[in-house]
Amino acid sequence: MEKITKRQMYTAMINYANDGKFVFDTDEGEVSITADEIVAFAENEIALLDKKAAKAKETAAKKKTESDAL
């Protein structure tokens, strides 16, 4: 199966909240998402959040060390 996009995952979450089924529609038909795919998606998103937070800390530290001309 091809990579599941964020849009597809969020659509599946909405469908789950409404119907109790983790599915999304494609041109080929309805696709079900497994628990393993949900876990992998969530772990990847957490890793991206951690990376973004680390980059923000790095940027903030760099700006703090730069002296202000005024």
Side-chain angles (χ1 to χ4, degrees):
M1 184 175 152
E2 63 190 57
K3 181 182 177 211
I4 297 173
T5 65
K6 285 184 180 184
R7 178 178 299 282
Q8 291 169 332
M9 184 61 76
Y10 292 137
T11 300
M13 289 177 184
I14 291 167
N15 289 337
Y16 180 73
N18 292 331
D19 303 329
K21 295 190 261 179
F22 249 112
V23 297
F24 62 90
D25 293 321
T26 65
D27 293 337
E28 292 85 33
E30 191 174 84
V31 177
S32 294
I33 298 177
T34 66
D36 290 339
E37 291 171 325
I38 295 166
V39 169
F41 174 83
E43 287 174 343
N44 182 55
E45 291 301 307
I46 290 169
L48 292 174
L49 288 171
D50 290 344
K51 184 178 178 181
K52 185 177 180 180
K55 184 69 174 175
K57 279 185 179 180
E58 180 183 309
T59 302
K62 183 178 178 182
K63 285 184 179 182
K64 188 176 182 179
T65 59
E66 294 176 355
S67 62
D68 190 0
L70 296 176

